[in-house]
Amino acid sequence: MDSEPTGKGILLKAEPIAATFIDEVRNTTAKCAQPPRLVGILATSSAPSKSYADFTRKQCEELGIEFVLKKTGAALSGELAEGEGVEEAIIEANGDDAVDGIMVYYPIFGGQQDHYLQQIVSPFKDVEGLHFKFHYNLYHKYERLSLSPPPGMVKSIIPCTPLAIVKCLEYISVYNRLLPYGDRAYGRTVTVINRSEVVGRPLAALLANDGARVLSVDIDSIQVCISTSIYYPRHVVHPSTLTLQECLAISDVVISAVPNPAYKVKTEWLKDGCICINVAGDKNFEKDIREKASMYIPAVGKVTILMLLRNL
Amino acid sequence: MDSEPTGKGILLKAEPIAATFIDEVRNTTAKCAQPPRLVGILATSSAPSKSYADFTRKQCEELGIEFVLKKTGAALSGELAEGEGVEEAIIEANGDDAVDGIMVYYPIFGGQQDHYLQQIVSPFKDVEGLHFKFHYNLYHKYERLSLSPPPGMVKSIIPCTPLAIVKCLEYISVYNRLLPYGDRAYGRTVTVINRSEVVGRPLAALLANDGARVLSVDIDSIQVCISTSIYYPRHVVHPSTLTLQECLAISDVVISAVPNPAYKVKTEWLKDGCICINVAGDKNFEKDIREKASMYIPAVGKVTILMLLRNL
């Protein structure tokens, strides 16, 4: 008996999925009179944030986008506190007509104070889709109702990480192209582990609005999100009496985004042949995940950044 | 030896402080062509929320304000989930011209989802001051700069709980009336235990903007908030190397709002004769608090509700 995983399922990295969007962004950028300018705001000494900023620069340069990194707080000097000056940097970029998009590297203070900062970024320059206005539109499915906003209104941005996950599911044909647009996830059962306003809840809303039955799992409850019919487009949410184990047993797709390295989805609970996507920084799936999953995407960050650059 | 606390310090209840605002609200209400209408939205089966709603009704009736309680979700029927329909109830009240103010009884879903709901309430009807716009104005001290907003703009509401605490401090003369308005807490050192966007951070900003040196204590760090001079009105925040024990030893006032019944401020760490205010639902101070504190306010809820009704 071999105790090592045999790795039956396909390991799918984000690069080929991201690649499908590169030409789109490059072509749009090439049509601009001058390159769009993205300002990144780095306010902490966090190494992952710094490498994400470096990666943003690299990606922008490849695509003909001007990237300006504004360092403040502990990112600028060891004398300054973590996050010092970040609010001022956001306000400055909000008011600068030469800036087309603003990206802030979170976490900074964590929790509510980071949420506050996310609301301070002008919705006209929020490329990440973190402003509550956008979540409101998404939960109410307004993004489909009006594709071009009236003058003076801002285009609604879909939060980038949930959108990147949807694009991954389209790429691997979980979304069925033969179904009508807006209903292409019909018939799929998807478990989403995380119900934050930044990832889990907008993702559940997107998938349910597209026809999926979504089991939304949070630390203390499980809900079902479903759109009742294409004539009543907005999804509804019901409480569920299913356990996580029962959810996993019936799910075609399992997406996990739990910011805790100790959290692991049990491979033995998964349905044979399911599709698993890890969105957490640390892996939420066990090493032997591909013994059960037919397809496993370990990270979506490279797709996320392209969704974000498309919003410039 | 008596093992019971001797209760040297003064126990100050919120009623007499609240009473100082009752006439003000009643007189303002009497001048209205018709009574202002406050809609309370109760969406959970939580007993404390229900009694807070009953208390709101009682307080409104006394003051000539019309209170309409809209029940939804588990508050309406055992068949419905906790929080079901709350977003729709808020949107309906937002759009109803007959509604002057909206009060939602939190917690509902907890965490980020409650924050989302707080941003959905129209800032024109938010009597609690929970909208991020108001926090932004407060942190930037705009509330002093423009008392009457330009047409079409909304008056900035100061979050009610922090404001109620300031009113308590004014009542007991921690704010010195002989100092110029806007600087009346000058010379005071205040420890605030809690740094949420709803209570601790706006409170620290209010006190620092009024001249106090505020030690803001959160689970993982301690900061100092201070306004450098009356000519640079906005307060600044620095990290601090003080420990909680060191903060308490030098604080004239200690305010605690930790939502955990197990959390207790150690009486032995307090400065002799300090003033203590408990803002948490469960008491954050030990039983023998009045052995050290010269004055102890065990709850501020009755002042908070008057601050809220003043915003109608």
Side-chain angles (χ1 to χ4, degrees):
Chain A
M1 290 279 286
D2 195 337
S3 67
E4 279 297 292
T6 56
K8 288 175 196 163
I10 294 170
L11 178 71
L12 192 59
K13 301 233 170 162
E15 280 88 348
I17 307 172
T20 63
F21 298 98
I22 285 181
D23 281 348
E24 180 195 332
V25 176
R26 197 182 277 135
N27 293 339
T28 312
T29 307
K31 282 183 204 135
C32 298
Q34 50 185 15
R37 179 182 291 180
L38 175 66
V39 167
I41 298 178
L42 183 65
T44 67
S45 59
S46 147
S49 290
K50 187 178 178 307
S51 27
Y52 195 18
D54 291 342
F55 176 68
T56 317
R57 175 184 301 282
K58 186 172 152 281
Q59 196 65 263
C60 283
E61 280 169 2
E62 262 178 47
L63 296 168
I65 293 164
E66 190 187 337
F67 180 69
V68 181
L69 186 63
K70 166 85 184 169
K71 288 185 184 176
T72 179
L76 184 65
S77 148
E79 307 276 291
L80 298 173
E82 297 283 338
E84 195 165 333
V86 64
E87 188 171 1
E88 289 77 3
I90 293 172
I91 293 168
E92 193 189 328
N94 278 342
D96 182 348
D97 288 341
V99 173
D100 300 294
I102 300 172
M103 185 177 179
V104 184
Y105 296 93
Y106 299 104
I108 298 172
F109 304 106
Q112 295 179 47
Q113 201 165 340
D114 281 5
H115 285 289
Y116 168 77
L117 292 175
Q118 287 161 7
Q119 309 314 309
I120 296 298
V121 174
S122 161
F124 291 90
K125 300 189 178 182
D126 175 9
V127 290
E128 299 184 90
L130 297 175
H131 202 280
F132 276 129
K133 276 195 200 313
F134 302 145
H135 291 91
Y136 178 88
N137 290 353
L138 171 61
Y139 296 148
H140 294 260
K141 209 174 176 173
Y142 287 164
E143 94 273 24
R144 288 274 154 65
L145 301 181
S146 163
L147 288 174
S148 54
M153 297 275 283
V154 58
K155 178 171 163 277
S156 197
I157 303 287
I158 298 180
C160 290
T161 300
L163 182 61
I165 296 165
V166 166
K167 293 298 174 188
C168 290
L169 293 174
E170 283 179 352
Y171 181 86
I172 59 181
S173 296
V174 167
Y175 271 58
N176 186 336
R177 277 161 213 269
L178 299 177
L179 291 174
Y181 180 77
D183 217 21
R184 290 184 172 166
Y186 180 72
R188 303 294 189 167
T189 300
V190 184
T191 290
V192 176
I193 309 176
N194 172 310
R195 202 185 294 141
S196 73
E197 292 296 324
V198 175
V199 178
R201 199 159 86 103
L203 175 62
L206 275 170
L207 295 171
N209 283 343
D210 283 339
R213 172 188 179 200
V214 182
L215 302 161
S216 166
V217 177
D218 204 2
I219 201 159
D220 55 359
S221 70
I222 296 184
Q223 296 174 343
V224 188
C225 311
I226 198 153
S227 78
T228 46
S229 94
I230 57 169
Y231 302 106
Y232 178 62
R234 204 193 143 198
H235 71 283
V236 291
V237 179
H238 301 292
S240 166
T241 55
L242 293 177
T243 63
L244 174 60
Q245 186 169 1
E246 289 165 338
C247 289
L248 295 176
I250 57 170
S251 287
D252 307 302
V253 179
V254 177
I255 300 159
S256 188
V258 179
N260 178 350
Y263 184 80
K264 300 286 174 197
V265 175
K266 276 188 202 295
T267 303
E268 58 172 307
W269 287 2
L270 295 168
K271 191 169 87 159
D272 271 319
C274 69
I275 289 164
C276 294
I277 303 182
N278 174 64
V279 186
D282 297 285
K283 301 288 174 270
N284 283 171
F285 293 95
E286 296 179 327
K287 267 195 183 164
D288 63 350
I289 168 71
R290 284 155 63 201
E291 294 293 308
K292 275 287 186 81
S294 62
M295 223 176 262
Y296 171 54
I297 303 183
V300 301
K302 290 187 178 161
V303 185
T304 302
I305 195 146
L306 276 151
M307 296 303 108
L308 185 159
L309 296 177
R310 287 206 315 174
N311 292 331
L312 264 175
Chain B
M1 288 279 286
D2 195 338
S3 68
E4 281 295 292
T6 53
K8 289 176 197 161
I10 294 170
L11 178 70
L12 192 59
K13 300 232 170 164
E15 281 88 347
I17 307 172
T20 61
F21 298 98
I22 286 182
D23 281 348
E24 179 194 332
V25 176
R26 197 182 277 135
N27 293 341
T28 312
T29 308
K31 283 184 203 136
C32 299
Q34 50 185 12
R37 179 182 292 180
L38 175 67
V39 167
I41 299 179
L42 184 65
T44 67
S45 59
S46 147
S49 291
K50 189 180 176 305
S51 26
Y52 194 19
D54 291 341
F55 176 67
T56 317
R57 177 184 301 282
K58 186 171 152 284
Q59 194 64 262
C60 283
E61 281 169 1
E62 261 178 47
L63 296 169
I65 293 164
E66 190 187 337
F67 180 70
V68 181
L69 186 65
K70 165 87 185 165
K71 287 184 185 178
T72 180
L76 184 66
S77 148
E79 307 275 293
L80 298 174
E82 298 284 338
E84 197 164 333
V86 64
E87 189 172 0
E88 290 77 2
I90 293 172
I91 292 168
E92 194 190 326
N94 277 345
D96 182 348
D97 288 341
V99 173
D100 300 294
I102 300 173
M103 185 177 177
V104 184
Y105 295 94
Y106 299 102
I108 298 173
F109 304 105
Q112 294 180 47
Q113 201 165 338
D114 281 3
H115 285 287
Y116 169 76
L117 292 175
Q118 287 161 7
Q119 310 313 310
I120 296 300
V121 174
S122 162
F124 291 91
K125 300 189 178 183
D126 174 9
V127 289
E128 298 183 271
L130 298 175
H131 201 281
F132 277 129
K133 274 194 202 314
F134 301 145
H135 291 90
Y136 179 88
N137 289 356
L138 170 60
Y139 295 147
H140 294 260
K141 210 174 175 171
Y142 288 165
E143 94 274 23
R144 289 275 154 66
L145 300 181
S146 163
L147 288 173
S148 54
M153 297 278 282
V154 57
K155 176 171 163 278
S156 197
I157 304 286
I158 297 179
C160 290
T161 300
L163 182 60
I165 296 165
V166 166
K167 293 298 176 187
C168 290
L169 293 174
E170 283 180 351
Y171 183 85
I172 59 182
S173 298
V174 167
Y175 271 57
N176 186 336
R177 276 160 215 268
L178 299 178
L179 290 174
Y181 180 76
D183 218 20
R184 291 185 173 167
Y186 181 71
R188 303 293 188 169
T189 300
V190 183
T191 289
V192 175
I193 308 175
N194 172 310
R195 203 185 295 142
S196 73
E197 291 297 325
V198 175
V199 178
R201 200 159 84 105
L203 174 62
L206 276 171
L207 294 172
N209 283 343
D210 284 338
R213 172 188 179 199
V214 182
L215 303 162
S216 166
V217 177
D218 203 2
I219 202 159
D220 55 0
S221 69
I222 296 184
Q223 296 175 341
V224 188
C225 311
I226 197 154
S227 77
T228 44
S229 94
I230 58 170
Y231 302 106
Y232 179 62
R234 205 189 143 201
H235 69 285
V236 292
V237 179
H238 300 292
S240 166
T241 55
L242 292 178
T243 64
L244 174 59
Q245 184 169 2
E246 289 165 337
C247 289
L248 295 176
I250 56 169
S251 287
D252 306 302
V253 179
V254 177
I255 300 159
S256 187
V258 179
N260 178 350
Y263 184 82
K264 300 285 175 197
V265 175
K266 278 189 201 295
T267 303
E268 58 172 305
W269 288 1
L270 296 168
K271 190 171 86 161
D272 271 318
C274 68
I275 290 164
C276 295
I277 304 183
N278 174 65
V279 186
D282 297 285
K283 301 289 174 269
N284 282 171
F285 291 94
E286 294 179 327
K287 268 196 182 161
D288 63 352
I289 169 72
R290 284 155 63 203
E291 295 292 309
K292 274 287 187 82
S294 61
M295 224 176 262
Y296 172 54
I297 303 183
V300 300
K302 290 187 179 162
V303 184
T304 302
I305 195 144
L306 276 152
M307 295 305 107
L308 186 159
L309 297 176
R310 287 207 315 176
N311 290 333
L312 265 175

